[in-house]
Amino acid sequence: MGDFLNPDKEFLNQLNSKVEQNFAREEFGVSELAEAMNMSRSNLLRKVKKATNISVSQLISQARLQRGMELLKTTSLNVSEVSHQVGFNSTSYFIKCFREHYGYPPGEVGKRTINDLPELNTEFINKKQIPWAMFALTVGILIMAGLVWWQWPKENIMESEKSILVLPFKNDSADSSNVYLINGLMEATLNNLQKIKNLKVLSRTSAEKYRNSSKSIPEIAEELNVNYFVEGSGQKMGDKIVLNIQLVDGATDRHLWSKQYRREADDIFDLQQEISKDIVAEIQVFISPEEIQRIEKIPTTNAEAYDLFLKGVGLLNTRNDDNHRKSLEFFQQAIDLDPDFALAYACSSMAYYYLDYFRTEKQYLDELGSNADKAFLYDPKLGESHTAKAMYYMQKTEYSEALPYLEKGLEYNPNSTQILGMLADYYGNYMPNTGKYLEYALKGLRLDTGSGDSVTTSFSYLRLGNALIQAGFIDKSLEYLDKSLELYPANPFSNYVRAFVLHANDKDLHQTRELLKVEFEKDTFRFDILQDLGKVSYYLREYEDAHQYYERFIRLRETLGLDVYIHEHMIIGIVYEKVGMEQKGKEFIESCRDFFENNETVYRELALGMYYFHIGETAKGMDYLRQFSKEDNIQFWIILFLTMDPILDDIKHLPEFKKIMDEIESKFWRNNRKIQERLEEEGIW
């Protein structure tokens, strides 16, 4: 009768059978299981989640670990042998997963006996009675769980995902000077909601493009895939604020709740908190005690200081240098009135950061650091304080120091597109990690659909296109790069990246070089393109051409006073050697080796391996290459271009080299599948 009560039982039996048949295949994952079941990935993910409430990858992992436990109990195989038999080629990773699943390492399986478990009172329960006793105990637990659930406050019950967009508030006052206040209330409402992890809150720029839109709420909801909308309008009358707030259902345009708030201007913080709490209560999203504390925190007790701060924030959000300078004046006036105003210090740091962002010589680094330190001193649990500290270290190029502040800032403000963008750039440009780069680029775009400014959206699509190609998703990368160019055909980087993505399909280096030339002619100060023109010519073994490009690149780099592309000095040095400038070439090569000796990225071993291959120490080069093969999340460019490098012309035929390269490529594509599976299961792919 149980089979009739569980329609998924047959499906799960088939699923388990397929997994068991492929235990020893490490690469057997979601895609392979879907193929074995003759199902699409999406259908498999959905059906397994519904039937088991766990993901497919979790199901496979648990099945492997359970089989591992059986083998350890019933055979004489050691831990390493068992790990390979159940699809863990890394014994250390098997031990880690086993410990997390069972609470102790696999080496202790033989020591864990029935005596380690609580004893049953056999005076009252004989062997035939044990199953019934366990059944009664289980029923009792379920009844207790049901009672707890029934009595638990319903506002703590959470649906799969709830999303909200705070539309720009309207100023009902005839006095346009009050716009900053109404915008500030909208910003505060948004910021409070963004602190809630279990609520997807779209960015201010996503809302801004609908300020004067004629589109209906259901049209916007479908366009952005959002459940709820907050609409607001208000005015300031003397010392009073009147604000009208509505919560609207996205699918039906039905007003779920509305309220008018009348407060004294001095009660602005109570007003902000009340609005946020009312919205959260209405949509019944779970909010933790820590999140409540962050929302209830008052940034300053000085109403005049806060009024000046709001004026500064309005200017800071424009991302314009003149407005950034003006915002600093308001922030400083606010700080003069309240020297402990952490949020004002943090926003001052951000203004200095943006003023220096595109400058080679950083003019405001000291001011950025000083304000960030004060923000952190006065409120170390403020998300903006952590963002300011991260900006300081990013500007100093001390990237590893910035990461903890970015991660903690995101913990305090999980819907911050600003922090998500910085994390994407961190893992894309400074400490490369393809999986994390793609994850944060997707999360950022998911919350920030772009403002009405097509240029901003174009660059968001560019970032995602670049993240996708680095993880090996060629077609999807082209899709987003094309979207980027549709919105802003003059985007100076989209065609640049696109030239290399196209090479992944056609493997035509001559075409790649021609496409790069076209982009360089648009802006002959593009030292990044000059460097790549030299590199492509190097791969083509056209060293005279490569030398000409590198000569121009070095002159331009010196003229601009830049200290960039040191990691490319190996190739530059070899080109100089090839054209007879051996001493200069050696200097470049040695500077590259010195750079990577002190480098923390995953590419250190690869670069040092290439150095030793070049100077003829093949065995040492192989050792470094073998170490590099253990790295995860390497960029697709390694797979695409490494074997084209002339350094390897006398090496790549060696069986040992081929074996290592096969391992690197196989690992890359396995990781490519794992990245997609993880992002699909998280619902952000």
Side-chain angles (χ1 to χ4, degrees), residues 120-137:
L120 291 172
N121 190 337
T122 53
E123 182 180 350
F124 298 99
I125 305 174
N126 60 36
K127 291 182 179 179
K128 290 183 180 180
Q129 291 173 321
I130 286 176
W132 289 102
M134 293 302 293
F135 173 76
L137 178 62

Side-chain angles (χ1 to χ4, degrees), residues 187-229:
E187 187 88 14
T189 301
L190 174 68
N191 288 343
N192 281 338
L193 294 174
Q194 284 182 330
K195 294 170 184 175
I196 303 171
K197 185 176 182 180
N198 289 308
L199 182 64
K200 173 187 170 186
V201 185
L202 274 70
S203 69
R204 176 181 52 79
T205 54
S206 296
E208 193 62 36
K209 66 181 177 182
Y210 297 104
R211 182 179 287 275
N212 300 308
S213 174
S214 60
K215 290 184 177 180
S216 68
I217 291 291
E219 287 175 326
I220 301 173
E222 184 176 0
E223 194 171 295
L224 301 182
N225 189 27
V226 66
N227 307 137
Y228 300 101
F229 290 80

Side-chain angles (χ1 to χ4, degrees), residues 77-238:
L77 297 173
N78 61 34
V79 173
S80 177
E81 291 169 333
V82 168
S83 72
H84 283 77
Q85 286 209 19
V86 296
F88 288 87
N89 286 348
S90 168
T91 304
S92 60
Y93 185 60
F94 171 68
I95 294 170
K96 174 180 179 292
C97 294
F98 193 97
R99 184 194 296 272
E100 289 175 355
H101 187 68
Y102 289 107
Y104 56 90
E108 293 185 13
V109 168
K111 303 171 187 176
R112 302 273 175 157
T113 67
I114 193 68
N115 295 325
D116 295 326
L117 302 174
E119 290 184 354
L120 291 172
N121 190 337
T122 53
E123 182 180 350
F124 298 99
I125 305 174
N126 60 36
K127 291 182 179 179
K128 290 183 180 180
Q129 291 173 321
I130 286 176
W132 289 102
M134 293 302 293
F135 173 76
L137 178 62
T138 303
V139 170
I141 291 171
L142 289 173
I143 291 171
M144 289 299 295
L147 289 171
V148 169
W149 179 88
W150 184 256
Q151 297 178 48
W152 197 264
K154 294 300 181 288
E155 60 266 24
N156 287 337
I157 299 170
M158 185 173 55
E159 293 181 5
S160 56
E161 180 180 71
K162 291 179 177 178
S163 54
I164 196 164
L165 180 71
V166 181
L167 290 166
F169 289 3
K170 296 175 182 177
N171 178 31
D172 290 336
S173 172
D175 186 356
S176 60
S177 64
N178 287 329
V179 169
Y180 80 91
L181 177 63
I182 303 304
N183 286 343
L185 287 167
M186 176 263 189
E187 187 88 14
T189 301
L190 174 68
N191 288 343
N192 281 338
L193 294 174
Q194 284 182 330
K195 294 170 184 175
I196 303 171
K197 185 176 182 180
N198 289 308
L199 182 64
K200 173 187 170 186
V201 185
L202 274 70
S203 69
R204 176 181 52 79
T205 54
S206 296
E208 193 62 36
K209 66 181 177 182
Y210 297 104
R211 182 179 287 275
N212 300 308
S213 174
S214 60
K215 290 184 177 180
S216 68
I217 291 291
E219 287 175 326
I220 301 173
E222 184 176 0
E223 194 171 295
L224 301 182
N225 189 27
V226 66
N227 307 137
Y228 300 101
F229 290 80
V230 176
E231 294 180 323
S233 63
Q235 57 184 311
K236 185 181 181 185
M237 299 181 296

Side-chain angles (χ1 to χ4, degrees), residues 301-339:
T301 56
N302 189 309
E304 186 181 351
Y306 189 69
D307 192 71
L308 289 163
F309 168 78
L310 289 180
K311 291 177 180 178
V313 168
L315 292 164
L316 180 64
N317 286 336
T318 62
R319 302 293 171 88
N320 170 284
D321 278 3
D322 288 338
N323 285 342
H324 288 162
R325 292 187 182 91
K326 291 176 185 175
S327 76
L328 285 165
E329 296 175 13
F330 285 113
F331 293 141
Q332 187 56 54
Q333 291 175 43
I335 290 167
D336 290 342
L337 292 171
D338 180 0

Side-chain angles (χ1 to χ4, degrees), residues 7-8 11 43-54:
D8 294 320
F11 166 70
N43 282 340
L44 179 66
L45 291 167
R46 177 185 53 77
K47 194 165 183 179
V48 169
K49 187 70 173 178
K50 179 182 177 183
T52 66
N53 203 32
I54 62 173

Side-chain angles (χ1 to χ4, degrees), residues 183-426:
N183 286 343
L185 287 167
M186 176 263 189
E187 187 88 14
T189 301
L190 174 68
N191 288 343
N192 281 338
L193 294 174
Q194 284 182 330
K195 294 170 184 175
I196 303 171
K197 185 176 182 180
N198 289 308
L199 182 64
K200 173 187 170 186
V201 185
L202 274 70
S203 69
R204 176 181 52 79
T205 54
S206 296
E208 193 62 36
K209 66 181 177 182
Y210 297 104
R211 182 179 287 275
N212 300 308
S213 174
S214 60
K215 290 184 177 180
S216 68
I217 291 291
E219 287 175 326
I220 301 173
E222 184 176 0
E223 194 171 295
L224 301 182
N225 189 27
V226 66
N227 307 137
Y228 300 101
F229 290 80
V230 176
E231 294 180 323
S233 63
Q235 57 184 311
K236 185 181 181 185
M237 299 181 296
D239 292 332
K240 293 186 182 296
I241 298 172
V242 179
L243 199 62
N244 298 293
I245 303 291
Q246 298 88 35
L247 182 69
V248 184
D249 180 78
T252 64
D253 200 12
R254 182 168 59 91
H255 282 220
L256 303 173
W257 161 86
S258 64
K259 186 173 181 179
Q260 184 178 84
Y261 300 85
R262 291 177 176 268
R263 296 288 186 278
E264 298 292 328
D266 289 348
D267 295 330
I268 191 169
F269 301 123
D270 291 338
L271 172 60
Q272 292 169 359
Q273 293 168 16
E274 189 175 348
I275 293 169
S276 304
K277 289 179 180 178
D278 287 346
I279 292 169
V280 167
E282 185 62 31
I283 63 178
Q284 296 187 6
V285 67
F286 174 78
I287 179 169
S288 71
E290 293 81 9
E291 290 166 346
I292 292 172
Q293 288 178 5
R294 288 196 280 274
I295 290 172
E296 290 181 342
K297 186 181 294 181
I298 295 174
T300 176
T301 56
N302 189 309
E304 186 181 351
Y306 189 69
D307 192 71
L308 289 163
F309 168 78
L310 289 180
K311 291 177 180 178
V313 168
L315 292 164
L316 180 64
N317 286 336
T318 62
R319 302 293 171 88
N320 170 284
D321 278 3
D322 288 338
N323 285 342
H324 288 162
R325 292 187 182 91
K326 291 176 185 175
S327 76
L328 285 165
E329 296 175 13
F330 285 113
F331 293 141
Q332 187 56 54
Q333 291 175 43
I335 290 167
D336 290 342
L337 292 171
D338 180 0
D340 297 345
F341 198 166
L343 191 56
Y345 284 115
C347 288
S348 294
S349 288
M350 294 176 195
Y352 285 121
Y353 175 79
Y354 291 124
L355 282 170
D356 261 354
Y357 190 76
F358 291 108
R359 285 191 173 92
T360 304
E361 296 294 329
K362 305 304 181 186
Q363 183 178 346
Y364 300 107
L365 188 61
D366 290 342
E367 291 88 343
L368 194 168
S370 174
N371 280 278
D373 285 342
K374 289 176 181 176
F376 204 79
L377 172 67
Y378 293 121
D379 193 346
K381 292 187 177 181
L382 182 69
E384 288 82 355
S385 297
H386 288 267
T387 304
K389 290 285 286 184
M391 286 176 166
Y392 173 66
Y393 285 114
M394 295 284 277
Q395 211 78 303
K396 285 186 69 179
T397 69
E398 296 178 4
Y399 304 116
S400 59
E401 297 294 326
L403 182 59
Y405 292 105
L406 288 173
E407 291 176 335
K408 183 58 74 172
L410 190 64
E411 179 185 327
Y412 290 150
N413 195 347
N415 286 281
S416 171
T417 54
Q418 180 187 46
I419 300 176
L420 288 168
M422 292 178 70
L423 280 164
D425 290 340
Y426 176 89

